[in-house]
């Protein structure tokens, strides 16, 4: 069984640029959630995709967007990068979107915005 | 609004028992989850309580009291490898399911 993978592991961008982060979900999982984790903080929910449809969004501006593909892998796109976007971006996959469905997190992408 | 409170740091010795508390404020409560995260690593799921009471999984137990909006994670027979951050989490307000709001985390340091 393949775990959740994310790419790239590290990324450095400058303010105003755009970035795409990728996530491959665990085999058999149809739900992917994205979280932003600032240093010393808990993960903050960005959005969730279930069977290629957005299934809820946290308090993030529209310049944060995403996609889920037919194989249930996912992308997170961030436009017009700001310094505060520097964080660890985590994706998590789960068998479903129910409250008891355990989320399996990937290792994250560390984004630095200069 | 939604909030979860945890102590920021707890220190204990190897072999001891430690309890990490979590109080929460949220509407539409679905359950309380606990995650462990080692420095630089991915959060890993520890437990989920939907109903009041104690759930035990090996050295780790988790407790929930819905009437008190309170839960705790109990770690027994502490080992050095338990040094990590521990997060409680509840379903996102208005979102439900497993879209989670996390607390700020408790850093556990296990000493010899």
């Amino acid at each position: 069984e393949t775990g959740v993978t994310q790419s790239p592991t590290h990324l450095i961008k400058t303010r105003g640029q755009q970035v795409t982060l990728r996530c491959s979900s665990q085999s058999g999982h149809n739900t992917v959630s994205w979280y932003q984790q600032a240093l010393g903080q808990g993960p903050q929910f960005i959005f969730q995709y279930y069977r290629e449809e957005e299934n809820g969004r946290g308090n993030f501006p529209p310049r944060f967007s995403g996609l889920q593909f037919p194989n249930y892998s996912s992308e997170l796109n961030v436009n017009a990068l700001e310094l505060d976007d520097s964080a660890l971006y985590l994706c998590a996959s789960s068998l479903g979107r129910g409250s008891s469905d355990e989320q399996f997190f990937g290792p994250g992408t560390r984004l630095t915005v200069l | 609004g939604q909030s979860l409170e945890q102590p920021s740091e707890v220190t204990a010795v190897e072999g001891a028992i430690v309890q990490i508390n979590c109080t929460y404020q949220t509407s539409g409560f679905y359950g309380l989850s606990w995650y462990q995260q080692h420095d630089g690593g991915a959060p890993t799921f520890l437990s989920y309580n939907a109903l009041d009471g104690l759930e035990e999984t090996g050295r780790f137990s988790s407790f929930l009291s819905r009437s008190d909006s309170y839960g705790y994670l109990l770690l027994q027979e502490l080992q050095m490898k338990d040094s990590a951050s521990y997060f409680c989490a509840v379903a996102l307000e208005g979102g439900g399911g497993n879209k989670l709001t996390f607390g700020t985390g408790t850093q556990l340091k296990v000493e010899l």
Side-chain angles (χ1 to χ4, degrees):
Chain A
E1 188 173 289
T2 307
V4 179
T5 60
Q6 292 186 245
S7 63
T9 53
H10 295 85
L11 202 52
I12 299 174
K13 291 284 188 178
T14 55
R15 207 168 39 176
Q17 284 189 309
Q18 178 265 343
V19 69
T20 297
L21 310 181
R22 294 178 174 84
C23 171
S24 289
S25 57
Q26 189 160 314
S27 178
H29 288 188
N30 58 25
T31 305
V32 172
S33 305
W34 285 92
Y35 293 84
Q36 180 196 65
Q37 186 176 24
L39 206 58
Q41 301 294 315
Q44 274 198 292
F45 176 76
I46 303 174
F47 42 57
Q48 183 181 78
Y49 281 85
Y50 171 71
R51 295 182 181 236
E52 302 179 61
E53 298 280 334
E54 188 179 287
N55 182 52
R57 188 180 182 91
N59 190 25
F60 280 81
R63 59 190 184 84
F64 284 78
S65 63
L67 278 174
Q68 188 179 31
F69 300 99
N71 66 356
Y72 301 135
S73 66
S74 178
E75 280 183 1
L76 163 65
N77 299 290
V78 188
N79 293 322
L81 282 167
E82 301 176 0
L83 297 179
D84 283 350
D85 296 333
S86 295
L88 181 68
Y89 287 85
L90 296 160
C91 81
S93 74
S94 52
L95 274 172
R97 52 184 175 166
S99 53
S100 62
D101 283 310
E102 179 184 341
Q103 296 196 57
F104 294 81
F105 282 83
T109 294
R110 172 76 60 188
L111 173 65
T112 302
V113 183
L114 302 174
Chain B
Q2 200 172 30
S3 67
L4 297 97
E5 288 192 19
Q6 308 176 231
S8 59
E9 197 173 299
V10 171
T11 302
V13 296
E14 199 174 28
I17 299 172
V18 74
Q19 179 173 313
I20 299 173
N21 299 320
C22 173
T23 56
Y24 58 86
Q25 280 189 309
T26 184
S27 60
F29 180 78
Y30 294 86
L32 185 70
S33 301
W34 288 92
Y35 284 80
Q36 177 193 62
Q37 186 178 31
H38 288 96
D39 275 351
T44 55
F45 173 83
L46 293 176
S47 69
Y48 171 74
N49 293 64
L51 302 175
D52 286 359
L54 191 68
E55 296 274 346
E56 296 180 68
T57 310
R59 294 189 297 116
F60 294 2
S61 303
S62 56
F63 172 82
L64 176 66
S65 168
R66 294 170 68 119
S67 60
D68 295 323
S69 297
Y70 163 77
Y72 66 72
L73 181 69
L74 191 73
L75 297 86
Q76 303 182 75
E77 300 171 22
L78 280 175
Q79 301 175 9
M80 297 297 289
K81 67 178 182 179
D82 297 329
S83 292
S85 291
Y86 292 83
F87 296 91
C88 58
V90 295
L92 187 72
E93 200 161 52
N98 63 356
K99 297 180 284 291
L100 299 177
T101 295
F102 285 80
T104 52
T106 299
Q107 187 166 14
L108 171 64
K109 295 181 183 176
V110 180
E111 300 175 335
L112 290 170

